[in-house]
Amino acid sequence: MLIRLNRYLSMCGVTSRRKADRLIEEGRVRVNGEVVRDLGVKIDPELDIVEVDGKEVKPPRKRYIILNKPCCYLTQLGRSQSGKKTIEELIKDIPERVFPVGRLDYNTEGLLLLTNDGELANRILHPRYKLPKVYLALVKGRVTEESLRKMRKGTELEDGPAKPDSVRVVRYEGKNTLLEITLHEGRKHIVKRFLASFGHPVIKLKRIAIGPLKIGKLPPGKWRDLSPRELRQLFSAVGLKYSD
Ligand code: URA
């Protein structure tokens, strides 16, 4: 696939597209050994060799990571204005600039996917692919069979209807209940709002799976690369083909 030279330079992390145009005009960019000054030039990233100031530039390696986000970290990169900790400090040993796909609340734990693959990220977030997300929710009160039946039918929240794919009691913990709830949407605070609307406010929330990805035994605060098998399953779940 052919792409504009300035786009390629920004994809490789050299600079923004606009500043890339300046580099091109200044004659600092070569394609297959020839200086190129035409801003409209397109290149084939698979075939053409692009250099800036005599150094070859290549797109960064695609990274796909899952992080077990601990409680009390913001799902954002960089520093937070409030001084709260952000997930940035948990992934600072990853050289590529990876971005979180979706978010978890400050006090929610669990599976967060991070990648620098924009196409995959867009598909995962797109409602068309309906990737199920599984949560363990410790809620206040003992959830009865009757409440579970009502939850399964769904309810109307202030921003529209909400219906889980499934919900079940894992166990009772004293006066509280540990639920496993699966939803395939990502509205803000959806699990907390849904369960609170049935009179069971969430005490603790953890995401344990997104589509084929499971948090497993990954300790809180740690990340790992996805395996080729997980990548094949994830790509196929959103209608893409993974080739390693
Ligand atoms: N639903 C919530 O309420 N919070 C989260 O962090 C994720 C889903």
Short mmCIF file of all heavy atoms in Angstrom, two decimals, residues 103-106 108 135 187-193 205 207, ligand 1:
data_model
loop_
_atom_site.label_atom_id
_atom_site.label_comp_id
_atom_site.label_asym_id
_atom_site.label_seq_id
_atom_site.Cartn_x
_atom_site.Cartn_y
_atom_site.Cartn_z
N ARG A 103 -10.69 2.27 28.76
CA ARG A 103 -10.17 2.71 30.06
C ARG A 103 -10.80 1.93 31.20
O ARG A 103 -11.85 1.30 31.03
CB ARG A 103 -10.41 4.21 30.25
CG ARG A 103 -11.87 4.62 30.20
CD ARG A 103 -12.05 6.10 30.35
NE ARG A 103 -11.67 6.59 31.65
CZ ARG A 103 -12.38 6.45 32.75
NH1 ARG A 103 -13.53 5.78 32.73
NH2 ARG A 103 -11.98 6.95 33.89
N LEU A 104 -10.14 2.00 32.34
CA LEU A 104 -10.71 1.48 33.58
C LEU A 104 -10.73 2.64 34.57
O LEU A 104 -9.82 3.49 34.55
CB LEU A 104 -9.85 0.35 34.15
CG LEU A 104 -9.88 -0.99 33.41
CD1 LEU A 104 -8.88 -1.96 34.03
CD2 LEU A 104 -11.27 -1.60 33.40
N ASP A 105 -11.72 2.66 35.44
CA ASP A 105 -11.80 3.73 36.45
C ASP A 105 -10.56 3.70 37.35
O ASP A 105 -9.91 2.66 37.50
CB ASP A 105 -13.02 3.54 37.35
CG ASP A 105 -14.32 3.72 36.59
OD1 ASP A 105 -14.30 4.37 35.52
OD2 ASP A 105 -15.34 3.18 37.06
N TYR A 106 -10.33 4.81 37.99
CA TYR A 106 -9.20 4.98 38.92
C TYR A 106 -9.12 3.81 39.92
O TYR A 106 -8.08 3.24 40.16
CB TYR A 106 -9.39 6.31 39.65
CG TYR A 106 -8.35 6.64 40.69
CD1 TYR A 106 -7.04 6.89 40.32
CD2 TYR A 106 -8.71 6.73 42.04
CE1 TYR A 106 -6.09 7.22 41.28
CE2 TYR A 106 -7.78 7.07 43.00
CZ TYR A 106 -6.46 7.30 42.61
OH TYR A 106 -5.52 7.62 43.56
N THR A 108 -10.73 0.87 39.65
CA THR A 108 -10.98 -0.46 39.07
C THR A 108 -9.64 -1.11 38.75
O THR A 108 -8.71 -0.44 38.31
CB THR A 108 -11.82 -0.35 37.79
OG1 THR A 108 -13.08 0.25 38.11
CG2 THR A 108 -12.08 -1.71 37.17
N TYR A 135 -16.18 -8.97 34.14
CA TYR A 135 -15.78 -8.30 35.38
C TYR A 135 -16.16 -9.15 36.59
O TYR A 135 -17.20 -9.83 36.57
CB TYR A 135 -16.51 -6.96 35.54
CG TYR A 135 -16.24 -5.97 34.44
CD1 TYR A 135 -16.99 -6.00 33.26
CD2 TYR A 135 -15.26 -5.00 34.58
CE1 TYR A 135 -16.74 -5.09 32.24
CE2 TYR A 135 -15.01 -4.10 33.59
CZ TYR A 135 -15.75 -4.14 32.41
OH TYR A 135 -15.51 -3.23 31.41
N ARG A 187 -19.54 1.99 27.94
CA ARG A 187 -19.92 3.31 28.45
C ARG A 187 -19.30 3.54 29.83
O ARG A 187 -19.06 2.58 30.57
CB ARG A 187 -21.45 3.40 28.57
CG ARG A 187 -22.09 3.85 27.27
CD ARG A 187 -23.59 3.92 27.42
NE ARG A 187 -24.20 2.62 27.42
CZ ARG A 187 -25.44 2.37 27.84
NH1 ARG A 187 -26.19 3.34 28.32
NH2 ARG A 187 -25.95 1.16 27.78
N LYS A 188 -19.10 4.82 30.13
CA LYS A 188 -18.41 5.19 31.36
C LYS A 188 -19.14 4.64 32.61
O LYS A 188 -20.36 4.77 32.71
CB LYS A 188 -18.34 6.72 31.43
CG LYS A 188 -17.15 7.20 32.17
CD LYS A 188 -16.96 8.69 31.99
CE LYS A 188 -15.77 9.11 32.81
NZ LYS A 188 -15.60 10.54 32.88
N HIS A 189 -18.38 4.04 33.51
CA HIS A 189 -18.90 3.51 34.78
C HIS A 189 -20.08 2.55 34.59
O HIS A 189 -20.95 2.44 35.45
CB HIS A 189 -19.37 4.64 35.71
CG HIS A 189 -18.38 5.74 35.92
ND1 HIS A 189 -17.05 5.50 36.18
CD2 HIS A 189 -18.52 7.09 35.90
CE1 HIS A 189 -16.41 6.66 36.32
NE2 HIS A 189 -17.28 7.63 36.13
N ILE A 190 -20.10 1.86 33.44
CA ILE A 190 -21.30 1.09 33.10
C ILE A 190 -21.61 0.00 34.14
O ILE A 190 -22.77 -0.17 34.53
CB ILE A 190 -21.21 0.50 31.66
CG1 ILE A 190 -22.50 -0.17 31.25
CG2 ILE A 190 -20.05 -0.46 31.49
CD1 ILE A 190 -23.59 0.76 30.93
N VAL A 191 -20.58 -0.71 34.60
CA VAL A 191 -20.86 -1.81 35.54
C VAL A 191 -21.36 -1.24 36.87
O VAL A 191 -22.35 -1.70 37.44
CB VAL A 191 -19.59 -2.67 35.76
CG1 VAL A 191 -19.85 -3.74 36.81
CG2 VAL A 191 -19.14 -3.30 34.44
N LYS A 192 -20.68 -0.19 37.32
CA LYS A 192 -21.07 0.40 38.62
C LYS A 192 -22.49 0.97 38.55
O LYS A 192 -23.29 0.78 39.46
CB LYS A 192 -20.09 1.51 39.01
CG LYS A 192 -18.72 0.99 39.35
CD LYS A 192 -17.78 2.13 39.67
CE LYS A 192 -16.37 1.64 39.88
NZ LYS A 192 -15.39 2.69 39.80
N ARG A 193 -22.78 1.66 37.45
CA ARG A 193 -24.12 2.27 37.33
C ARG A 193 -25.19 1.19 37.22
O ARG A 193 -26.26 1.30 37.82
CB ARG A 193 -24.17 3.23 36.13
CG ARG A 193 -23.34 4.49 36.36
CD ARG A 193 -23.60 5.52 35.30
NE ARG A 193 -23.07 5.13 34.01
CZ ARG A 193 -23.74 5.19 32.88
NH1 ARG A 193 -24.99 5.60 32.85
NH2 ARG A 193 -23.17 4.84 31.74
N LEU A 205 -14.07 -3.60 41.93
CA LEU A 205 -14.32 -4.06 40.56
C LEU A 205 -13.02 -4.45 39.89
O LEU A 205 -12.02 -3.74 40.00
CB LEU A 205 -15.00 -2.92 39.77
CG LEU A 205 -15.50 -3.27 38.37
CD1 LEU A 205 -16.58 -4.35 38.43
CD2 LEU A 205 -16.08 -2.01 37.71
N ARG A 207 -11.60 -6.17 36.07
CA ARG A 207 -11.88 -6.75 34.75
C ARG A 207 -10.96 -7.95 34.55
O ARG A 207 -9.74 -7.82 34.71
CB ARG A 207 -11.67 -5.72 33.65
CG ARG A 207 -12.02 -6.29 32.28
CD ARG A 207 -12.37 -5.22 31.29
NE ARG A 207 -11.21 -4.41 30.97
CZ ARG A 207 -11.28 -3.24 30.32
NH1 ARG A 207 -12.45 -2.75 29.98
NH2 ARG A 207 -10.19 -2.56 30.04
N1 URA B 1 -17.46 -0.27 34.39
C1 URA B 1 -17.21 0.53 35.43
O1 URA B 1 -18.12 0.93 36.12
N2 URA B 1 -15.93 0.87 35.69
C2 URA B 1 -14.88 0.43 34.97
O2 URA B 1 -13.72 0.76 35.27
C3 URA B 1 -15.14 -0.41 33.88
C4 URA B 1 -16.45 -0.73 33.60
#
